[in-house]
Amino acid sequence: MKKFVAVLLTMVLMLCAANALAAGKLIVTQENYHTVSSLWTYGHAYVKVENTGDKPIKVNAGVLEIYDENGDVITSTDWLSAYARILQPGEYTYASLQAEIEDGSNVPVDYAITITGKSDQAVTTMRLPCTASLELDVEEDWWTYNYMYAEVTNHTDAPLYDISVVLALLDAEGNILYMDDDSLYSEKALAPGSTLFFRKDISSEFMDYFAANNLVPASVDAIAYVEIENE
């Protein structure tokens, strides 16, 4: 009888474990925070999120809280910018949050980021072949630019509308220094087999912040995608 109960318990535990694995699971594999000031001061949080489960999952919501030296919340936000939000098992994406720090006497010393996901069967994210590159100190006329590039290819046999891209600026250790995005929008399409370049200039206030804090941009990672509504 004891042996039967033990076997039954083992089967129940295995069934529970199997059910637990039959779902998407979000893990934050990289997070970085920067306080950047110009006319206003903002706390910028960047995260890299991976689906370590075995089902698709949507990057659904996020919260950023910024603390002072006493551990009190200076400011917070739940306005999440997430890209390629529907993750297949093993896929990763990027997301960001930013919150204004209105009182100049409040000095941020710590932060916390929470990212949550949920199942979503309404949309599928189709990723496109994409390569990224970085070009710093580009002199054009009287100005100097710092460009992030994404080279996106339509590998399908149909024109693609609503192509979006997220570009993450990284240092040599993979820390996220900056993030930007762009879209083709619904009025324009990329023809089958064609390639399109996206180019984004890194904000000068961030470049000043990097120089002041000994942060060195080293590379760019980019994800290009189209969100398709399921019928």
Side-chain angles (χ1 to χ4, degrees), residues 36-58:
V36 180
S37 298
S38 55
L39 296 177
W40 297 273
T41 299
Y42 281 89
H44 299 265
Y46 302 118
V47 295
K48 181 178 180 180
V49 187
E50 183 178 346
N51 179 6
T52 61
D54 58 3
K55 294 291 183 181
I57 190 170
K58 176 182 179 180

Side-chain angles (χ1 to χ4, degrees), residues 59-64 77-80 97 113-116:
V59 182
N60 186 59
V63 175
L64 166 65
T77 183
D78 61 359
W79 186 264
L80 177 73
L97 302 106
I113 303 172
T114 302
I115 302 293
T116 58

Side-chain angles (χ1 to χ4, degrees), residues 29-121:
T29 58
Q30 179 68 42
E31 65 175 57
N32 297 99
Y33 170 86
H34 309 285
T35 300
V36 180
S37 298
S38 55
L39 296 177
W40 297 273
T41 299
Y42 281 89
H44 299 265
Y46 302 118
V47 295
K48 181 178 180 180
V49 187
E50 183 178 346
N51 179 6
T52 61
D54 58 3
K55 294 291 183 181
I57 190 170
K58 176 182 179 180
V59 182
N60 186 59
V63 175
L64 166 65
E65 292 185 315
I66 302 173
Y67 306 102
D68 62 16
E69 61 182 2
N70 298 316
D72 296 323
V73 176
I74 297 174
T75 185
S76 65
T77 183
D78 61 359
W79 186 264
L80 177 73
S81 296
Y83 310 92
R85 298 172 70 107
I86 309 297
L87 297 179
Q88 298 298 318
E91 287 185 337
Y92 72 88
T93 191
Y94 293 99
S96 66
L97 302 106
Q98 67 174 28
E100 184 175 2
I101 302 171
E102 297 181 355
D103 187 348
S105 63
N106 288 326
V107 179
V109 298
D110 203 0
Y111 71 95
I113 303 172
T114 302
I115 302 293
T116 58
K118 74 172 185 178
S119 176
D120 189 334
Q121 306 298 323

Side-chain angles (χ1 to χ4, degrees), residues 159-163 183-191 196 198 226:
L160 287 180
Y161 294 84
D162 297 306
I163 295 174
S183 297
L184 198 57
Y185 300 114
S186 60
E187 292 83 7
K188 301 177 181 65
L190 184 62
L196 178 68
F198 289 88
V226 176

